[in-house]
Amino acid sequence: MVFKLSLFTSIDSIPPLWLQILAVGVWVSLILLGAGGVSRLAKSDAEIVRKIVHIGTGNVILLAWWLDMPASIGIAASILASAFTLLSYRFPILPGINSVGRKSLGTFFYSVSIGILIAWFWYLKQPFYAALGILIMAWGDGLAALIGQRFGKHKYNVLGGQKSLEGSLTMTLVSFIISSLILLSVQGNTWQTWLVSVVVAVVATGLEAISILGIDNLTVPLGSAALAFVLNQIILR
């Protein structure tokens, strides 16, 4: 399978490892500082703070892809983040992130999914699939939750969890946009790009609707990336 050279991987010289880690550290620090500032201004809306961190940290995958960071760094960060989030469920380490008024392991699953996708697609030398899955989770799920809470008037229930048509439509649209942009950058403007993007968007929306204990933070990124990868293996042969 031959892919066009991506904007994110067409760097002539890769920065040294210490600079790569510094760039990621600065970005994550800015996200946490921003979330802390918003938390003080919007004390009654913990979900906004949570989604700022959710979306912001997800974008780290773009830095990892663009800077061609070693998979070992991403996997190690995922393990540390997973352990940290597990501790935060027992101790008040991240109260602004985990206090969403429901029992959920979403933050833990989110960290785990990032590590799995990096290990999988960095090994295959196709990191854009990892970016696709993680960004769909970060932006799709993040914006779907915010739109659904603010404007969701048409409610429905899935396995005891309440969703809204407005939030689900947001998830579909954002997932389609992310899939299209990433696949366009690596395989061009082909009918396969648009077909895969549509299928991934619809399936991601279905997976996001099933969010018992925050399991969608695992199923959405893994399912979206795996589906895009498998479909491309089939139709691009």
Side-chain angles (χ1 to χ4, degrees):
M1 185 186 305
V2 178
F3 290 101
K4 293 183 178 180
L5 193 61
S6 169
L7 170 64
F8 297 103
T9 57
S10 59
I11 298 178
D12 295 328
S13 58
I14 303 300
L17 182 59
W18 70 267
L19 189 56
Q20 296 176 15
I21 296 174
L22 177 62
V24 171
V26 168
W27 174 257
V28 172
S29 298
L30 289 174
I31 293 299
L32 294 178
L33 286 173
V38 172
S39 178
R40 287 190 290 272
L41 294 175
K43 295 181 180 179
S44 61
D45 199 341
E47 187 70 1
I48 292 179
V49 176
R50 182 172 176 269
K51 290 308 178 184
I52 288 175
V53 176
H54 181 87
I55 294 172
T57 53
N59 288 329
V60 168
I61 193 63
L62 288 176
L63 279 175
W65 177 15
W66 181 49
L67 296 174
D68 194 25
M69 293 187 68
S72 58
I73 299 298
I75 295 169
S78 171
I79 292 172
L80 289 174
S82 299
F84 192 69
T85 53
L86 280 180
L87 286 174
S88 75
Y89 290 115
R90 185 169 182 82
F91 305 101
I93 302 173
L94 302 172
I97 297 175
N98 291 324
S99 59
V100 294
R102 63 180 183 274
K103 187 177 181 181
S104 173
L105 292 171
T107 308
F108 170 70
F109 289 141
Y110 192 36
S111 301
V112 170
S113 68
I114 291 175
I116 293 174
L117 287 176
I118 289 176
W120 183 2
F121 291 110
W122 254 249
Y123 172 77
L124 295 178
K125 299 188 185 305
Q126 295 180 325
F128 54 91
Y129 286 117
L132 183 149
I134 294 168
L135 291 178
I136 283 179
M137 187 64 225
W139 286 96
D141 176 78
L143 293 178
L146 294 176
I147 295 297
Q149 286 185 357
R150 298 288 180 177
F151 307 105
K153 296 181 179 180
H154 302 85
K155 306 291 185 180
Y156 66 94
N157 293 297
V158 178
L159 299 178
Q162 189 177 77
K163 298 290 181 177
S164 71
L165 289 178
E166 291 82 0
S168 293
L169 287 174
T170 299
M171 178 69 183
T172 303
L173 178 60
V174 174
S175 299
F176 174 74
I177 291 172
I178 289 171
S179 297
S180 298
L181 289 175
I182 291 178
L183 295 180
L184 277 170
S185 75
V186 295
Q187 63 192 42
N189 184 12
T190 65
W191 66 268
Q192 292 94 336
T193 289
W194 302 111
L195 175 61
V196 171
S197 296
V198 168
V199 176
V200 167
V202 172
V203 172
T205 301
L207 292 173
E208 192 273 338
I210 304 172
S211 54
I212 300 172
L213 296 178
I215 194 66
D216 56 322
N217 283 270
L218 189 65
T219 58
V220 169
L222 296 184
S224 299
L227 181 59
F229 173 72
V230 170
L231 287 176
N232 270 333
Q233 295 303 305
I234 295 172
I235 65 180
L236 289 179
R237 285 182 177 178

